Amino acid sequence: MQYGPDPNAIYPNEGIKSVCYIKNVVTRPNIIVGDYTYYDDKDGAESFEEHVTHHYDFIGDKLIIGKFCAIAKGIEFIMNGANHRMNSVTTYPFNIMGGGWEKATPALADLPLKGDTVIGNDVWIGQNVTIMPGIHIGDGAIIGANSVVTKDVPAYHIAGGNPCKILKKRFDDELIKHLLTIKWWDWPAEKIFEYLDVLCSGDLKKIMEIKL
């Protein structure tokens, strides 16, 4: 019996080439993506890595995205390589221009590095969103279209705008705590299939009845 699409397929639905599972198209070891997380872009969903910019091995930062995330067209993850030295007279990156200016290459310690960018599980990111370096977005969060995310977003909160601000919680604290406890995204495929009706129901009391 089939319990959902193949998580190792590039296109979960061969009839919809605009949607691909990101995990199966990334090549950089510093991009880590969970099962079933997809990017939706009719202009080339399989080119997700092009939307992760300024990402250099020598810096060492990672982009980590959880399972079951929905990422819309126009996403841009700006990584730490975009940062310029800020503790000197000028922010101009002389060193990358060559011609002898390499002597001004900054030490990593002189750059405002923000660490890894971490997106939780079951996160929905709308169209044309920009996420700045080192941002953490919690499980179940929603990011509105055209947002620029400059601060962390807690689990199960809705945020939007430029700069992105918290708009409201999706659920009350009790339900959020329960969802973070049962971690449905870590269930085996058979269990997710069994509880699909509950996971997709507007009757939130049903999910509260599910225990670990």
Side-chain angles (χ1 to χ4, degrees):
M1 181 172 178
Q2 186 173 3
Y3 295 103
D6 180 0
N8 297 311
I10 292 177
Y11 305 107
N13 185 335
E14 283 293 335
I16 306 176
K17 297 293 188 180
S18 63
V19 172
C20 81
Y21 282 158
I22 299 171
K23 181 195 76 171
N24 305 318
V25 297
V26 295
T27 61
R28 301 181 207 168
N30 49 0
I31 299 178
I32 302 167
V33 184
D35 287 344
Y36 304 105
T37 285
Y38 72 84
Y39 178 53
D40 183 356
D41 188 342
K42 64 181 178 60
D43 295 323
E46 66 280 357
S47 299
F48 173 81
E49 282 183 315
E50 295 178 4
H51 301 272
V52 183
T53 64
H54 305 90
H55 201 194
Y56 307 122
D57 289 342
F58 72 90
I59 291 180
D61 56 339
K62 295 181 175 64
L63 171 60
I64 303 170
I65 305 175
K67 303 175 183 176
F68 291 96
C69 292
I71 302 177
K73 179 180 180 178
I75 186 70
E76 182 171 9
F77 291 95
I78 300 178
M79 303 301 286
N80 283 284
N83 287 319
H84 292 210
R85 179 167 41 199
M86 297 174 64
N87 60 354
S88 55
V89 172
T90 179
T91 61
Y92 190 84
F94 286 94
N95 58 295
I96 68 172
M97 303 304 169
W101 283 355
E102 296 88 347
K103 69 176 185 176
T105 299
L108 285 179
D110 291 333
L111 298 173
L113 302 180
K114 304 295 184 180
D116 295 337
T117 297
V118 181
I119 312 300
N121 304 280
D122 191 23
V123 173
W124 175 21
I125 300 176
Q127 288 190 358
N128 303 315
V129 168
T130 299
I131 298 177
M132 300 302 287
I135 293 298
H136 287 212
I137 297 177
D139 298 324
I142 297 173
I143 309 298
N146 302 306
S147 297
V148 177
V149 187
T150 60
K151 293 183 179 179
D152 293 352
V153 177
Y156 289 99
H157 281 61
I158 299 173
N162 181 6
C164 193
K165 296 181 180 179
I166 304 300
L167 302 177
K168 64 178 182 179
K169 292 180 182 178
R170 290 184 60 194
F171 310 123
D172 62 33
D173 289 342
E174 181 182 11
L175 179 51
I176 290 174
K177 181 179 179 181
H178 181 68
L179 291 169
L180 294 176
T181 298
I182 65 171
K183 298 182 185 295
W184 69 262
W185 44 83
D186 286 337
W187 294 351
E190 295 89 340
K191 185 173 181 179
I192 290 175
F193 187 84
E194 177 184 356
Y195 285 102
L196 268 182
D197 290 346
V198 175
L199 292 171
C200 298
S201 174
D203 184 355
L204 300 177
K205 293 180 181 179
K206 292 182 178 180
I207 196 71
M208 293 295 291
E209 297 171 359
I210 298 176
K211 308 300 181 183
L212 285 175

